[in-house]
Amino acid sequence: MQQISDILSFHRADRSDLIPILHEVQSRLGYIPPEAMQAAADHVGMSASEVYGVATFYSAFKFKPVGRHCVKACRGTACHVKGSEKILAEIEKALGIKDGDTSADGEYSLETVACLGSCALAPVLVVDERVYGRVTPARVKSILRGER
Ligand code: FES
């Protein structure tokens, strides 16, 4: 809560500062917890539900803690045609989590995205900032271990 207070102390009590506040909370904490949402609402004079409505409009904001490693599995058309569903199933099996979740040990977060912009390499997977193309279910575990 101290971190949230510190963040708020640098922002005006004005609605126009809401997005910068939310960005800074996420940057420091990795996500926007409910107490930060409420504190931001109180600070800028909005209701918590209004702030939640604004925050959920932007896909960049996260509302659950994120893992140390971020796994993004593409579910776009090109990747779908090339078998991305099997890749996603293999990731979920290997990590024991579903799309949108973080592993209990806090190591991995999994999310699906509409397109990773590398359709020619379909199916595509991104772990942290590293892009993996032409992924097969058999490669998933080695990719998650950080192997090329
Ligand atoms: S559809 Fe998967 S990278 Fe574009």
Side-chain angles (χ1 to χ4, degrees):
M1 208 51 202
Q2 184 58 48
Q3 282 184 302
I4 297 167
S5 296
D6 290 346
I7 292 167
L8 294 176
S9 70
F10 285 100
H11 290 275
R12 293 174 299 142
D14 189 285
R15 288 170 175 249
S16 63
D17 268 29
L18 178 60
I19 298 293
I21 289 169
L22 296 177
H23 272 294
E24 201 168 331
V25 169
Q26 179 155 297
S27 169
R28 286 215 209 165
L29 306 179
Y31 75 111
I32 303 171
E35 56 270 27
M37 202 98 64
Q38 183 63 59
D42 293 343
H43 187 74
V44 301
M46 295 170 69
S47 71
S49 61
E50 284 177 300
V51 170
Y52 184 77
V54 170
T56 53
F57 179 78
Y58 298 98
S59 60
F61 292 127
K62 312 238 181 279
F63 306 101
K64 292 183 194 173
V66 291
R68 210 163 63 80
H69 300 288
C70 177
V71 179
K72 292 180 184 163
C74 186
R75 58 176 168 71
T77 304
C79 289
H80 178 77
V81 168
K82 297 282 189 168
S84 62
E85 282 181 24
K86 289 180 183 163
I87 306 298
L88 179 61
E90 191 63 28
I91 297 167
E92 290 177 338
K93 194 169 106 188
L95 298 180
I97 56 176
K98 296 285 185 192
D99 179 21
D101 290 341
T102 297
S103 59
D105 62 4
E107 281 296 302
Y108 292 95
S109 291
L110 172 62
E111 65 180 90
T112 57
V113 296
C115 179
L116 287 163
S118 303
C119 307
L121 299 175
V124 178
L125 189 60
V126 170
V127 179
D128 297 327
E129 300 306 317
R130 186 179 263 187
V131 178
Y132 297 87
R134 298 186 184 92
V135 176
T136 63
R139 284 182 61 207
V140 165
K141 282 186 182 153
S142 65
I143 289 171
L144 293 174
R145 287 193 298 265
E147 298 165 11
R148 259 324 225 179

